[in-house]
Amino acid sequence: MDSSRPSDHFDQESRDSGTVTQPRLGPVGYLRFAWRLLTSMRTALVLLLLLAIAAIPGSLVPQTSSDPNGVVQYKAEYPELSGVLDWFGVFNTYTSVWFSAIYILLFVSLIGCVIPRTKHHFDALRARPPKTPARLARLEGFTTRSTGADAALAIDEAEKLLRSQRYRVQRYDDPSTGVFSVSAERGYLRETGNLVFHTALIGVLLSVGVAGGFGYSGQRVVVEGQAFANSLASYDSFLPQRFFSESELAPFTIQLDEFDAVYEEENFSAYGAPTDFTAHVTTTVRGQEPQQQQIKVNEPLSIGGTSVYLLGNGYAPHVVIRDPEGEVVFSQPVAFLPQDSNLFSLGVIKVPDGLAEQLGIRGLLYPTTFPLANGAFASSHPDLRDPTLTLEVFAGDLGLDNGQATNAYALNTDSLTEIAGRNADSPTIELKPGDIAELPNGLGTIELLDIPRFVSLDVHHDPSQLWVLLFAVLVVAGLVTSLFVARRRVWVKAVVGDDGTVTLEYAGLARGDDPRLQEAVSDLADRHIERLKVDS
């Protein structure tokens, strides 16, 4: 038998028999247990850690929402691995079932933690400071002082001193026993900061989950001298969020007036490396005057509640194709995709109408032409110093009439015949700005008019940014407050002895870690005695 327990204790018989009978919880009991477990602070911290771990795949693997082309390329390079990752939804990490489950559980857990703690905190704010303990000597920082002042007047002075130090005070006097005391407490701002911290975390989750659902991002290639309007039809690619509506597209236009690229010219080891990119644009918001603005790599343009980022740039040769009668059948700049740091670029021109046959042209642009020993070309600098455009021409069926989408930057030659190039009777066409060449088979002529620059712009609208910033500031403020504000209680008691002498007792009690409590109690005692001496 356990001697520390009474003989009639309810579980003594079970202990003696070696068995313990657990109470039956039932469905409601298990639900309560699960709710308490979910809404505990320890569970919230574990879920927060899990959320951070679950976000790691989103930074290691390209995401469909932000880099769809990267996802396609990743699947092409790692077909077996991408099948497994796709099954787990890794390419859509932040909208996957498992990430959303952690996100929602964390949201519920934080709410379940904050609401009861907030109620308890408000109840504590309205409550009076607790009654002075009978034996202050058991508390931390206990010290005594003797005074010749009247006990009640001494406690009056202690009350004034504590109020000046922003304590909440409550008098507890018992003249019949000759004991006068004041109870004081402060530091409720610590718990307030703690609640602000957790509430702001909920605000961050809510902002990202709800307000972020109304955003969108779109990409558009703009050539010098051209403009695009903020409409769905104008984007090359567009990724709306879950709650997006076309009415959220602010009415504005952006025209690329000029693009300036600065390259390193003095440091030979970094010769030709870009040092600065600047897009000079004219922006027009409906109902306002046009404005001249700039977009740089790390300086996005803010317009119509969106941020416009400069993602990339390159060259867009302006090619003019005429039929045998001299009528223009194609005339527009075509963006060529850079292939290296010297902006050697690859592009595709498709002419489906206006000639005797459909034409597909694969072009290579060398901004600063450098001939190689094997007769091929390379580019030795990214600037347009000696540009050359080489063209391989294919005739036949471009596959544009079957209703299937095609890649504007790729040329499928399965149904085409090469009529000018390395594998044709006619050589590859070489053009410099202003040159005109004859197309094979008397199809017409092709001219390189000029070579303007193009930029790739990313238009990003996220209505949650300001809310996330606000809640992030509150998170930091609440955390700092909860870490550096001490929660403490102090008491001052005046005891009248049988001989009429008055002994002052001081003590404190900390809730949590408070390394300066003893110092605070001692300082209170010293200040109190000094004030009593002055008054006397």
Side-chain angles (χ1 to χ4, degrees):
M1 177 178 293
D2 189 350
S3 59
S4 64
R5 294 173 178 265
S7 59
D8 59 347
H9 194 271
F10 75 94
D11 68 341
Q12 187 63 48
E13 181 178 353
S14 299
R15 289 177 59 85
D16 294 341
S17 63
T19 61
V20 177
T21 303
Q22 297 288 350
R24 299 178 65 87
L25 293 178
V28 177
Y30 278 110
L31 288 176
R32 288 177 177 174
F33 173 76
W35 175 252
R36 290 178 180 176
L37 182 64
L38 176 62
T39 56
S40 69
M41 188 56 62
R42 182 176 300 177
T43 301
L45 292 175
V46 171
L47 290 172
L48 190 61
L49 177 61
L50 287 177
L51 190 69
I53 296 175
I56 293 177
S59 61
L60 299 178
V61 178
Q63 299 295 294
T64 303
S65 59
S66 59
D67 188 12
N69 294 329
V71 173
V72 173
Q73 184 176 359
Y74 190 93
K75 290 182 177 181
E77 293 178 354
Y78 309 101
E80 296 182 359
L81 177 61
S82 62
V84 177
L85 297 178
D86 205 11
W87 190 85
F88 282 103
V90 176
F91 295 113
N92 297 281
T93 297
Y94 306 112
T95 57
S96 62
V97 175
W98 48 272
F99 189 88
S100 299
I102 299 174
Y103 185 93
I104 294 173
L105 285 175
L106 176 60
F107 189 78
V108 173
S109 178
L110 286 174
I111 292 177
C113 291
V114 168
I115 291 179
R117 287 183 61 176
T118 301
K119 180 180 182 302
H120 177 75
H121 182 54
F122 281 126
D123 291 342
L125 288 176
R126 292 194 300 267
R128 297 188 304 169
K131 189 176 181 179
T132 305
R135 298 175 182 175
L136 292 181
R138 295 181 177 182
L139 302 180
E140 190 172 354
F142 174 75
T143 185
T144 61
R145 299 286 192 277
S146 297
T147 181
D150 179 75
L153 294 178
I155 296 303
D156 288 341
E157 199 64 34
E159 181 180 357
K160 294 177 183 178
L161 178 60
L162 289 169
R163 288 186 186 276
S164 68
Q165 296 180 351
R166 298 188 301 277
Y167 280 89
R168 298 171 59 226
V169 299
Q170 180 67 39
R171 290 287 293 271
Y172 293 99
D173 297 340
D174 189 357
S176 62
T177 59
V179 176
F180 301 83
S181 68
V182 59
S183 176
E185 62 182 355
R186 76 174 186 184
Y188 279 94
L189 192 61
R190 180 190 185 100
E191 180 64 11
T192 302
N194 206 345
L195 291 173
V196 169
F197 170 76
H198 289 92
T199 304
L201 280 181
I202 297 174
V204 171
L205 294 175
L206 189 64
S207 299
V208 174
V210 178
F214 292 93
Y216 64 86
S217 63
Q219 293 73 41
R220 172 62 190 262
V221 171
V222 185
V223 181
E224 286 179 323
Q226 295 184 355
F228 91 97
N230 189 33
S231 62
L232 287 179
S234 297
Y235 284 97
D236 297 324
S237 61
F238 191 83
L239 296 170
Q241 296 299 324
R242 182 170 302 175
F243 309 120
F244 168 78
S245 171
E246 190 173 352
S247 60
E248 297 177 37
L249 295 173
F252 65 81
T253 61
I254 299 177
Q255 176 178 309
L256 178 62
D257 300 322
E258 185 180 3
F259 180 79
D260 291 334
V262 180
Y263 301 100
E264 179 61 49
E265 302 291 344
E266 297 180 359
N267 185 359
F268 185 76
S269 61
Y271 184 75
T275 59
D276 187 43
F277 292 131
T278 305
H280 302 274
V281 299
T282 298
T283 61
T284 305
V285 179
R286 181 183 297 173
Q288 301 180 15
E289 293 295 325
Q291 294 184 357
Q292 306 294 323
Q293 302 192 62
Q294 293 182 350
I295 310 175
K296 290 179 173 289
V297 175
N298 295 318
E299 299 177 14
L301 169 68
S302 295
I303 180 173
T306 66
S307 297
V308 182
Y309 298 87
L310 181 62
L311 294 185
N313 65 89
Y315 293 102
H318 188 168
V319 175
V320 179
I321 298 177
R322 296 178 175 85
D323 63 14
E325 286 75 30
E327 295 293 332
V328 175
V329 297
F330 182 91
S331 177
Q332 68 182 50
V334 179
F336 276 39
L337 300 181
Q339 305 296 307
D340 60 20
S341 59
N342 287 323
L343 295 189
F344 159 64
S345 305
L346 171 65
V348 171
I349 302 171
K350 299 178 181 180
V351 187
D353 303 304
L355 299 177
E357 296 181 89
Q358 292 185 345
L359 289 187
I361 302 174
R362 182 185 295 135
L364 300 176
L365 176 65
Y366 307 90
T368 301
T369 307
F370 178 75
L372 302 177
N374 60 2
F377 294 144
S379 179
S380 59
H381 194 278
D383 211 354
L384 283 177
R385 297 186 173 179
D386 183 21
T388 300
L389 177 64
T390 64
L391 303 170
E392 294 179 337
V393 184
F394 298 81
D397 183 10
L398 292 173
L400 301 178
D401 301 327
N402 54 16
Q404 296 182 356
T406 59
N407 187 345
Y409 298 99
L411 182 64
N412 186 348
T413 60
D414 292 344
S415 301
L416 299 173
T417 302
E418 187 172 359
I419 59 176
R422 292 168 293 178
N423 302 317
D425 296 335
S426 299
T428 300
I429 298 175
E430 297 180 9
L431 297 174
K432 291 185 178 296
D435 288 351
I436 301 176
E438 294 288 336
L439 291 172
N441 303 335
L443 292 175
T445 61
I446 185 169
E447 176 185 3
L448 177 58
L449 198 61
D450 59 0
I451 307 177
R453 299 292 294 250
F454 77 83
V455 297
S456 177
L457 301 179
D458 179 73
V459 181
H460 187 75
H461 175 64
D462 185 0
S464 68
Q465 286 182 336
L466 292 178
W467 290 105
V468 170
L469 176 61
L470 172 63
F471 287 121
V473 171
L474 291 176
V475 165
V476 176
L479 181 61
V480 171
T481 302
S482 64
L483 290 177
F484 292 100
V485 174
R487 174 85 177 274
R488 65 170 67 125
R489 291 171 177 168
V490 295
W491 293 271
V492 181
K493 180 190 293 186
V495 181
V496 181
D498 295 336
D499 56 356
T501 60
V502 177
T503 302
L504 298 175
E505 298 180 356
Y506 307 85
L509 180 65
R511 182 172 182 176
D513 185 27
D514 188 359
R516 301 187 59 185
L517 179 61
Q518 290 189 2
E519 178 183 348
V521 174
S522 179
D523 181 69
L524 172 64
D526 294 339
R527 287 172 178 265
H528 186 210
I529 294 299
E530 289 295 327
R531 292 177 66 123
L532 291 177
K533 290 180 180 179
V534 172
D535 292 342
S536 62

